[in-house]
Amino acid sequence: MADTVETTANPESANQTPKTGEGRGVYISTYGCQMNVNDTERMYSLLEMQNFEPVKTPEEADLIIINSCSVREKPVHKVMSEVGTFRKMKEKNPDMRIGIGGCVGQQEKENLIKSQPLIDFVFGTDQIDNLPNLVAKTYSEGGKHVNAKFEHRAPYNIDTLVRNPGVATFVNITKGCDNFCTFCVVPYTRGREKSRPYDHILKDVRELVTRGVKEVTLLGQNVNSYGDRDVDFAELLQKVARETDIERIRFTTSHPKDFNQKLADTMAANGDKVMEYIHLPFQSGNTRILERMNRNYTREEYLEKIAMLKRTIPNVVFSTDIIVGFPGETEEEFQDTISMCQEGGFETIFAFAYSPRPFTKAAKFEDQLPEDVKFDRLNRLFEAHDKMAFEWVKKYEGQTMKILVEQVDREHGKIQGRSTSNKLVHFMGSPDLIGKTVDVRITKAFPAVFRGELIQ
Ligand code: SAH
Ligand code: SF4
Ligand code: F3S
């Protein structure tokens, strides 16, 4: 950190008490989903306004925040063991403060401070905008502070705060979730579902365009239940496509029960901008398990949605999330999940062994499966899927794809970007191409990543 502080650097703060961050570095460690990545950006932006300087390692920091995730396996343990690694740093630097935010913060509140004295403050997922106040308090008053209130009645009015949006970035459109899938902690850690006003979203996208952004992903736990006044998700998508100059639009995550023909038609009608890729978690291929998960669709209904989407959107590509080893899942029911991969033709899957979460219904089901059964199923699912997917993606070899170049690749001389169908493609090319859409011929296709060559 700078030793000297120029108090006149900011005329507004001249002759006033220096801001909390003056001469202090902040480091945020981020886990979990894209919401958390966006929230971290927001925290950095808010703390920068208090003159904190973002630093790259905890060793350089005076303020450390863990933005935690609680969706699976031992999240409290993960937080505690990371905090443990800061012990020596805190002993050396009495000015150091450690805070926990995100879904574990929301879930555990003061329990975290009780079990780990190195932690100075905890804040919930609805309290990010109050973070500067909370931090100021820990510095001015010392002691321990917790703020994990849900703002149930407050409208969801926030401006997108991203420091370096790059070529492709995320814009929150909803927060929270009201679906209460029986395995999922998110409705408890993120609260009730709320939608941002559509005019705010349009303003954000227009502003991002002026900062060089070419692609936005509209983000929410369940984007297709978006609703603001008379604007539903299909209409929002159409507005973003028609009323802004953004080049590419994606969205995630969609819930199968809310994916209707109107939305599919809107995607097709705006196919020049809305990308032909849908992440549509099915979770289980067996209707009895789906019912116990409270997913509100059957295997047949899910597959009918996929068929409808394939009919409506030419070349649409799907990815999905899957849970194996849900309480009571039999071997036969697990086999239904494997066959669902085959029938749906998912080239990319994100699969997890079921993990009981606090507050959730499924955690109280009596027929929990042993860990070895769950992980054996997970391994068998990945094996079976690999066999299918390596075959399926061969069809892309030799094809030409429109790639939006996002960044330089780690490999020297290469750049990388995404196809309209969300395939990550690496190829030789100049960094000058970042932000441009170029034609690339695919030379090698693996399920998760492609190699290609630039067509000049
Ligand atoms: N809102 C999104 C996803 C939220 S969490 C949706 O509805 O699909 C991301 C994924 O984590 C879920 O799709 C699910 O596959 C997985 N997941 C959630 N809770 C889990 C649990 N208790 N055990 C294992 N996987 C879980
Ligand atoms: Fe969790 Fe279900 Fe909501 Fe997704 S839709 S966040 S899985 S409760
Ligand atoms: Fe994790 Fe919370 Fe996201 S539990 S997946 S950080 S909503």
Side-chain angles (χ1 to χ4, degrees), residues 89-275:
M89 300 171 211
K90 199 166 185 191
E91 281 164 7
K92 266 201 248 155
N93 177 4
D95 193 46
M96 181 177 277
R97 300 287 188 273
I98 298 174
I100 312 298
C103 289
V104 178
Q106 185 66 53
Q107 177 187 308
E108 298 295 321
K109 306 183 180 71
E110 53 280 346
N111 292 344
L112 292 172
I113 289 182
K114 283 185 198 143
S115 49
Q116 175 48 281
L118 288 172
I119 298 172
D120 299 290
F121 64 98
V122 176
F123 60 107
T125 51
D126 258 1
Q127 297 300 333
I128 295 172
D129 287 5
N130 284 328
L131 178 63
N133 292 335
L134 195 62
V135 168
K137 251 187 175 174
T138 66
Y139 275 109
S140 62
E141 297 173 13
K144 307 287 179 187
H145 301 271
V146 177
N147 186 357
K149 274 199 307 273
F150 272 130
E151 305 288 355
H152 284 307
R153 273 192 291 273
Y156 184 27
N157 292 346
I158 56 152
D159 286 327
T160 296
L161 294 178
V162 270
R163 294 167 305 155
N164 304 305
V167 172
T169 194
F170 292 80
V171 173
N172 288 54
I173 65 162
T174 66
K175 73 169 175 183
C177 182
D178 292 347
N179 284 321
F180 291 92
C181 301
T182 56
F183 52 81
C184 184
V185 76
V186 172
Y188 305 93
T189 60
R190 295 272 163 172
R192 298 292 54 77
E193 184 182 292
K194 286 180 190 173
S195 297
R196 289 181 66 200
Y198 66 83
D199 36 339
H200 293 198
I201 297 169
L202 292 173
K203 179 173 156 273
D204 270 1
V205 175
R206 289 188 194 114
E207 232 164 76
L208 288 166
V209 170
T210 66
R211 294 171 72 189
V213 171
K214 309 287 181 198
E215 174 182 305
V216 288
T217 301
L218 306 177
L219 196 63
Q221 290 299 347
N222 179 8
V223 282
N224 34 27
S225 65
Y226 174 88
D228 169 44
R229 289 158 279 178
D230 54 346
V231 174
D232 66 10
F233 182 63
E235 282 147 22
L236 174 71
L237 207 54
Q238 169 115 0
K239 279 183 182 296
V240 177
R242 294 290 145 241
E243 298 173 29
T244 79
D245 290 326
I246 196 76
E247 289 177 18
R248 288 182 166 195
I249 307 164
R250 302 183 190 281
F251 53 89
T252 198
T253 300
S254 304
H255 195 300
K257 78 176 162 61
D258 297 315
F259 219 115
N260 53 25
Q261 184 72 53
K262 177 181 176 188
L263 178 52
D265 289 339
T266 307
M267 287 181 75
N270 294 281
D272 56 330
K273 288 194 165 188
V274 180
M275 299 291 100

Side-chain angles (χ1 to χ4, degrees), residues 33 35 70-73 176-177 179 181-186 220-223 252-256 279-283 295 320-324 326 350-357 360 362:
C33 61
M35 313 271 166
S70 174
V71 83
R72 288 176 291 270
E73 298 121 355
C177 182
N179 284 321
C181 301
T182 56
F183 52 81
C184 184
V185 76
V186 172
Q221 290 299 347
N222 179 8
V223 282
T252 198
T253 300
S254 304
H255 195 300
H279 181 62
L280 198 64
F282 72 72
Q283 312 296 2
R295 290 290 291 180
T320 197
D321 288 352
I322 300 169
I323 297 178
V324 299
F326 187 77
F350 301 88
F352 314 97
Y354 169 73
S355 155
R357 313 303 321 127
T360 60

Side-chain angles (χ1 to χ4, degrees), residues 320 322 324 334 337-338 341 347-353 374-390 447:
T320 197
I322 300 169
V324 299
F334 163 66
T337 290
I338 294 192
C341 288
E347 289 158 13
T348 314
I349 62 168
F350 301 88
F352 314 97
K374 294 192 249 178
F375 283 94
D376 174 59
R377 285 183 190 169
L378 187 62
N379 288 335
R380 285 191 285 139
L381 173 63
F382 282 133
E383 245 172 62
H385 176 262
D386 267 359
K387 271 199 201 120
M388 305 171 201
F390 273 92

